Amino acid sequence: MRLSDPKAIRALAHPIRLDLLETLGKIGPATAASCGRVLGVSQASCSFHLRQLAKYGFVEDAGPGSDRRERRWQVADRQMLLADSAQVDPLVAQQLSRVVVEREAARALDWVGRTLGESAQWRDAARGMAATVRVTAVEAAEIKAQWRAILAPYLTRDAAQVQGAAPDAHADDRRHVRYFMAASPLADTDLGDSTDDH
């Protein structure tokens, strides 16, 4: 799904709605009550935000579950991307970007605070990486495309698991890991190239 409608983008720029999309992406079809228990948010609030997400096509009815009294929801499209800049109101895109970056920064800091309780293997695998390189806009777009290509098979596998495919032998060893790529062109263009693990 490529997003260009400013109303849809504004509807998405809400922390609870982003939480709901992420939750449904991880656990599969679920009711507002189930989402509320996972997120620690009231069922009424989840129900309202799910209806708003459905209004713009982000979630859809998942059909009846074992308890036919409650509506179940599912993510309509697991691949959501902003349309090209020429097609999106820059102020609306900025609003969504700010919410997303703030959430990702908080998530990264939460992980840093929990690392002492993790195994050395996970501490090493999930250590952050930062690099400063000189690239053109075209090269930056190529890097982004390569990053998406690396994650694509894992996203496909996760989608199959959510839809009920039989788990493979390694399923019990897996954890949800959040990857977030941010390209931040710097004001000072004379910094040179550098790479750091942290």
Side-chain angles (χ1 to χ4, degrees):
M1 174 187 295
R2 297 194 76 83
L3 304 176
S4 59
D5 179 0
K7 291 182 179 178
I9 296 170
R10 283 193 186 98
L12 192 59
H14 189 291
I16 291 178
R17 293 174 192 169
L18 293 171
D19 284 342
L20 285 165
L21 286 172
E22 187 175 315
T23 299
L24 290 173
K26 287 193 292 191
I27 68 175
T31 64
S34 297
C35 291
R37 285 191 292 273
V38 171
L39 298 175
V41 177
S42 72
Q43 177 178 348
S45 179
C46 285
S47 183
F48 169 77
H49 289 297
L50 284 164
R51 287 195 304 272
Q52 291 300 305
L53 288 168
K55 179 179 177 180
Y56 294 101
F58 297 118
V59 299
E60 61 191 9
D61 191 304
S66 55
D67 181 353
R68 296 176 179 271
R69 295 173 298 174
E70 288 191 86
R71 186 175 194 176
R72 293 192 318 150
W73 299 92
Q74 65 186 8
V75 176
D77 188 339
R78 294 174 68 88
Q79 297 292 319
M80 285 185 285
L81 304 170
L82 280 180
D84 294 337
S85 295
Q87 301 173 287
V88 179
D89 180 331
L91 292 177
V92 174
Q94 184 184 57
Q95 180 184 5
L96 176 60
S97 294
R98 181 173 295 280
V99 172
V100 169
V101 170
E102 287 173 349
R103 287 165 49 82
E104 297 302 337
R107 202 186 313 253
L109 289 171
D110 175 68
W111 161 249
V112 170
R114 292 186 288 108
T115 53
L116 295 181
E118 296 286 343
S119 68
Q121 184 178 20
W122 271 109
R123 289 198 304 271
D124 290 341
R127 183 176 294 136
M129 189 194 91
T132 302
V133 295
R134 291 172 61 88
V135 294
T136 65
V138 170
E139 290 168 333
E142 290 171 353
I143 292 169
K144 189 174 181 180
Q146 291 173 28
W147 179 80
R148 283 193 183 130
I150 289 169
L151 290 180
Y154 304 99
L155 291 167
T156 301
R157 183 183 67 194
D158 286 351
Q161 292 295 310
V162 167
Q163 293 170 359
D168 61 37
H170 300 288
D172 291 340
D173 297 329
R174 294 190 185 122
R175 298 169 64 173
H176 285 100
V177 177
R178 182 71 176 179
Y179 287 91
F180 172 68
M181 177 186 169
S184 306
L186 305 178
D188 182 356
T189 57
D190 299 321
L191 290 176
D193 298 350
S194 65
T195 304
D196 300 297
D197 285 332
H198 59 278

